Structure formats: C-alpha cells, structure tokens
Amino acid sequence: MQKGRTNHPFVESSENGLGIGKVTAITGETATVEYFRSPVDDEPIRKQVSTNSLSRKTLYPETRAYYRNPETGGTEVGRVLHYQRDDECYLVRFPNDESRLIHSDELQVRCALPITEPTDHLASQLNETAFWHSARSEFVRHLLEQHRVSRGLSALLSSSVEIVAHQASAIQRVLLDPFQRYLLADEVGLGKTIEAGVLIKQFAIDEPYDHTTLVIVPETLMIQWQQELTHRFHLGHLLDESIHLVSSRNQAAIKQHAATAKMIVVDEAHHLSSWAWSTIDSERETFELVSRATNDLGRRVLLLSATPVLHNEKSFLAMLHLLDPQVYPLDSLDSFKERVQLRQEIAERMMDLPGRGGSKRIVESAK
C-alpha cells in the first residue's frame, strides 16, 4: 500500500499500547503504522507491526482531530461530528461553528503518547477555547471532591452505595493493613455487608487477574448477597468465575473453592464458628475445613458478625481463631474468658469517667 488515500487509514495494533495510528504501507504480513503525537513534532512515530494485529478504528463523535489547511499551511483543531462510511469522510466542527466534510486521509488524531513539549504546543496556539477549560475544570473539581469524600477508594466511587464516614474509615483501615484479616463487628444495620462488598470489589480492582474470592454465607442470605454483589457493586459478571458465593452448609462447594481462594469472606461468622464445638460431624468438619483454609496468614480473611463477645466467648474465640490460630488457639477458652471479663470491667470503668461514652462499633484485627 502506497501513501495516499486508503480504504480506512485509522487503525489500532494489539502489539503496542500506542492507540490510534495510520497505515502508510504494507509489505507482506507487515504493516507500517504512523503515530501522530502533536502538530509541532517534526516527524511522526513509525512502527512495524503484524497485519494480523491491526483493527480498523472509526473516530467517535467529539474526538479531537487535526487538519492541516492547504490554503493557509496552518493546523486547525476541530471535533468530529459524524462519519460517512460511503466516502470515508468525517464531518468536523471547527471554531466559530464552522463545519466541513474532510476525508479521513487528511485528518490526524493524537496517539496515546503524551506531548513532549507542552509549551511548544501552546506557543503554536493549538489549544482550544477557554469554554472547554471551564467545563473540564468543573468536572475535575467534582471528581476531586468525590475522591476526598471516598478517601481515594475507587471501589466506593464505582459502587451504587451511599458513602458513610464510619464505613469509609473502616474500609480504609483494612486496606492500609498489609495483613488484611479482620472481624467487622458492627451492630445490625450499620453496614457490614456494604463494607465487605467494597473490600471485595477493591480487591477485584487492584488484582484484576488474581482476586479469587470465596464468600461463605448462610443459606437464607444467598439471594441477598447475590443481589448486593450484582446491583450495588456491579460484580455480577464475576460471580461463579472469580467470586464464588456458597452456602455455609455446602461443604463440597467450600472445599472446591477454598484451596485457590485469595480472599475468604464469612457472613454471620458466629454461626459457623460455633460449629467448632458442635456434636454434629458435618458442622464440625465444615469449621475445620474453613479453619485450614484461613490458616495461611498471607490470605485475606474477612469475618462479619453482630454478636457481642460477652456471653458468646466460645463463638468469639473460634472467630478469632480463624483470623490468627496461633494467638487464639481453641484450647485457650478459659484464659480467653478471663481476658473478656477483664476487658469488660475496664470498659465499665471507662464509661464512668466524665465525658466518656460507649462505642457502637468495633473493628477487630488479628496480626
């Protein structure tokens, strides 16, 4: 293919991340693609790529396009309005509402590489009207405000949930910890499921190719969790692929996914933990299965429970055992009860101090 008019010059190659370029020549199975960075650059960037890696690209409406006017010799900046496939032309809107139909061969669009010298670009008066700057500035201010409120958590911004300060604080505390093994012990209605959903989604965002997650919930909560992950956190496409939602009674499914899970989430964890001392073999075996799966301290573990520790020491010890089996062995129940009683006495004395009040939520972590 010689230089000049082509069937459709705009292409993208899967062999590099340079974005949109133009085919200028084809030799056998190799194509030469030119990448346009800026009108002030003397030479375009040329790359040799396989023709099999190329795909045609049609410029979307509002794409910024550059046109070198043959009459003036200057470069004009416009916005694509429409593409006419029959004659390979684009309707481009230039400043002062001037629209022209220009063949694709005569247009250039910037590739994915940054401009090397922004000052040269500005000196050539290739920037657009201040109207666009004002619109973009307002958008940037709004985006920065969202990041401030969400504390930079992309999972919060991309989920259909209302951001609450105490939830963002708990989520951030977990994410900043190199050992993400936590018990979320909010009271009922304070948003444990939302916190867990955001942490699951953040894991999927941070590790897009290695975020296998096992979520163990009571059978009665299976539908609720499926709906939450699908509609609130938009993770429906990952269910049964990399995020596995299973019933706490489904020992076979837990065994199937526990071995490869990088993150294990257990809702109503006090129920499953109480099985550590169950006289029913299947329940005790299920707890032991989960215990073996969480034994690796490098694995993320998130337990959800609204059960207070006082008068539920056995279940609470078993939950902490899932977080750190060395610090909280199951055979230390008597000493654990003493520690709980001592902590209760200290808490009651703290409540008696002037200006002190009770806390409605705790976040427990195991190191």
Side-chain angles (χ1 to χ4, degrees), residues 128-145:
E128 295 182 71
T129 172
F131 171 80
W132 296 111
H133 169 77
S134 301
R136 292 193 189 103
S137 296
E138 183 62 29
F139 171 76
V140 170
R141 281 193 293 271
H142 179 67
L143 188 62
L144 290 175
E145 177 64 14

Side-chain angles (χ1 to χ4, degrees), residues 54-168:
L54 297 176
S55 58
R56 289 177 46 151
K57 301 299 292 185
T58 300
L59 303 183
Y60 292 114
E62 296 303 320
T63 298
R64 183 188 289 107
Y66 297 85
Y67 169 66
R68 184 173 291 279
N69 192 321
E71 296 180 2
T72 64
T75 299
E76 301 175 4
V77 184
R79 294 272 176 169
V80 171
L81 294 179
H82 178 66
Y83 171 57
Q84 294 188 181
R85 186 177 300 275
D86 294 340
D87 52 10
E88 295 290 342
C89 289
Y90 286 92
L91 182 63
V92 182
R93 180 180 58 204
F94 294 96
N96 301 319
D97 286 333
E98 180 186 353
S99 299
R100 279 173 273 167
L101 200 61
I102 300 176
H103 195 273
S104 56
D105 276 345
E106 299 177 285
L107 289 177
Q108 295 281 9
V109 294
R110 291 192 58 245
C111 65
L113 293 173
I115 295 173
T116 53
E117 290 293 339
T119 52
D120 293 341
H121 195 84
L122 292 172
S124 300
Q125 298 183 0
L126 294 170
N127 52 303
E128 295 182 71
T129 172
F131 171 80
W132 296 111
H133 169 77
S134 301
R136 292 193 189 103
S137 296
E138 183 62 29
F139 171 76
V140 170
R141 281 193 293 271
H142 179 67
L143 188 62
L144 290 175
E145 177 64 14
Q146 286 187 322
H147 275 276
R148 185 191 66 80
V149 174
S150 66
R151 305 187 183 188
L153 301 175
S154 53
L156 266 178
L157 291 175
S158 57
S159 299
S160 300
V161 297
E162 183 178 353
I163 300 175
V164 181
H166 81 266
Q167 293 173 339

Side-chain angles (χ1 to χ4, degrees), residues 32 114 121 195 231 283 325:
T32 300
H121 195 84
E195 293 168 2
H231 302 298
E283 292 182 346

Side-chain angles (χ1 to χ4, degrees), residues 57-315:
K57 301 299 292 185
T58 300
L59 303 183
Y60 292 114
E62 296 303 320
T63 298
R64 183 188 289 107
Y66 297 85
Y67 169 66
R68 184 173 291 279
N69 192 321
E71 296 180 2
T72 64
T75 299
E76 301 175 4
V77 184
R79 294 272 176 169
V80 171
L81 294 179
H82 178 66
Y83 171 57
Q84 294 188 181
R85 186 177 300 275
D86 294 340
D87 52 10
E88 295 290 342
C89 289
Y90 286 92
L91 182 63
V92 182
R93 180 180 58 204
F94 294 96
N96 301 319
D97 286 333
E98 180 186 353
S99 299
R100 279 173 273 167
L101 200 61
I102 300 176
H103 195 273
S104 56
D105 276 345
E106 299 177 285
L107 289 177
Q108 295 281 9
V109 294
R110 291 192 58 245
C111 65
L113 293 173
I115 295 173
T116 53
E117 290 293 339
T119 52
D120 293 341
H121 195 84
L122 292 172
S124 300
Q125 298 183 0
L126 294 170
N127 52 303
E128 295 182 71
T129 172
F131 171 80
W132 296 111
H133 169 77
S134 301
R136 292 193 189 103
S137 296
E138 183 62 29
F139 171 76
V140 170
R141 281 193 293 271
H142 179 67
L143 188 62
L144 290 175
E145 177 64 14
Q146 286 187 322
H147 275 276
R148 185 191 66 80
V149 174
S150 66
R151 305 187 183 188
L153 301 175
S154 53
L156 266 178
L157 291 175
S158 57
S159 299
S160 300
V161 297
E162 183 178 353
I163 300 175
V164 181
H166 81 266
Q167 293 173 339
S169 177
I171 293 165
Q172 188 176 49
R173 176 175 173 179
V174 174
L175 290 175
L176 291 177
D177 197 325
F179 297 96
Q180 294 183 21
R181 300 170 67 87
Y182 275 78
L183 166 62
L184 298 182
D186 286 316
E187 291 185 0
V188 176
L190 290 183
K192 297 186 299 297
T193 304
I194 290 178
E195 293 168 2
V198 172
L199 289 167
I200 293 170
K201 183 165 188 178
Q202 192 67 54
F203 186 32
I205 292 173
D206 294 340
E207 302 290 344
Y209 305 110
D210 193 22
H211 62 265
T212 306
T213 301
L214 174 61
V215 185
I216 305 172
V217 304
E219 181 68 36
T220 55
L221 297 178
M222 286 283 289
I223 295 178
Q224 176 187 333
W225 265 89
Q226 186 178 38
Q227 292 176 342
E228 294 280 332
L229 292 175
T230 300
H231 302 298
R232 280 184 180 266
F233 302 103
H234 314 295
L235 294 171
H237 63 292
L238 297 179
L239 290 178
D240 299 326
E241 295 291 335
S242 56
I243 299 177
H244 304 282
L245 181 62
V246 303
S247 166
S248 53
R249 294 283 181 181
N250 193 339
Q251 188 177 130
I254 295 175
K255 186 175 183 179
Q256 177 185 354
H257 301 297
T260 58
K262 299 298 179 66
M263 181 179 191
I264 297 178
V265 180
V266 183
D267 193 14
E268 299 294 328
H270 54 281
H271 289 315
L272 186 144
S273 296
S274 68
W275 296 349
W277 290 276
S278 176
T279 57
I280 302 174
D281 291 342
S282 61
E283 292 182 346
R284 192 171 60 256
E285 290 169 359
T286 300
F287 175 83
E288 291 172 355
L289 177 61
V290 176
S291 178
R292 288 194 298 271
T294 59
N295 191 54
D296 180 3
L297 295 182
R299 182 171 284 174
R300 303 172 190 230
V301 178
L302 194 63
L303 309 180
L304 284 66
S305 175
T307 299
V309 59
L310 199 62
H311 308 308
N312 293 283
E313 290 85 353
K314 292 178 69 174
S315 294

